[in-house]
Amino acid sequence: MCRTFGVEISSFSDQLMEQLVNALSDQQLHKSVKPSILRTFGDIALAIKQHFVKYLSVVMHILKTASEATVDRNDYEMMEYYNDLREGILEAYSEIVQGFMEDEDTPGQKEALRQYLHQMIQLIASVSADRDKTDDLVKC
């Protein structure tokens, strides 16, 4: 939807973002859905561009918290989830940056992102050093 309607989706973004954030905190939601929700944040940012700035601090906090997750590395299913989660986070970061940079006419876009640069680089470094990373994760 976001890619089809682009910035037109911004009139629904408050409700959409509220539902996504609420879904992430729902303990009954299967964990396999959570990486997709994180990716959706990036889709929304890419679609609504500078209008995403009002969600930026909340989303970046969610992404940082998710990136700090740890799992039992001997549990294959959990490692698969962990890599999918980090892939979703990296995709969200990438699309948020792209969405902000596509609209460089709006002042403060780079500045809004600058405060989150460290957390984005920290995840990239962590993935880079991880011996259990997947090929799909490296492609992000």
Side-chain angles (χ1 to χ4, degrees), residues 3 20 23-24 29-44 63 81 83-89 91-92 95:
R3 292 183 184 169
L20 293 171
L24 284 173
L29 182 70
H30 194 273
K31 70 179 183 252
S32 66
V33 177
K34 294 182 180 191
S36 295
I37 292 173
L38 301 180
R39 287 179 181 92
T40 303
F41 289 144
D43 291 340
I44 293 169
L63 296 175
Y81 165 73
N83 281 319
D84 192 35
L85 183 69
R86 294 188 302 168
E87 188 177 326
I89 297 165
E91 286 179 20
E95 290 183 346

Side-chain angles (χ1 to χ4, degrees), residues 88-103:
I89 297 165
L90 287 171
E91 286 179 20
Y93 281 155
S94 176
E95 290 183 346
I96 290 168
V97 169
Q98 288 176 47
F100 274 47
M101 294 302 105
E102 282 183 8
D103 191 24

Side-chain angles (χ1 to χ4, degrees), residues 3-4 10 40 46 48 62 71 91 93 118 136:
R3 292 183 184 169
T4 299
S10 63
T40 303
L46 198 53
I48 67 173
I62 289 168
V71 297
E91 286 179 20
Y93 281 155
H118 178 73
D136 285 340

Side-chain angles (χ1 to χ4, degrees), residues 39-70:
R39 287 179 181 92
T40 303
F41 289 144
D43 291 340
I44 293 169
L46 198 53
I48 67 173
K49 299 177 182 25
Q50 80 274 10
H51 302 288
F52 192 79
V53 74
K54 69 181 182 177
Y55 311 115
L56 188 62
S57 65
V58 169
V59 169
M60 295 305 270
H61 175 74
I62 289 168
L63 296 175
K64 183 178 188 315
T65 301
S67 73
E68 294 168 345
T70 58

Side-chain angles (χ1 to χ4, degrees), residues 21-32:
V21 170
N22 288 340
L24 284 173
S25 62
D26 184 347
Q27 298 300 317
Q28 294 181 355
L29 182 70
H30 194 273
K31 70 179 183 252
S32 66

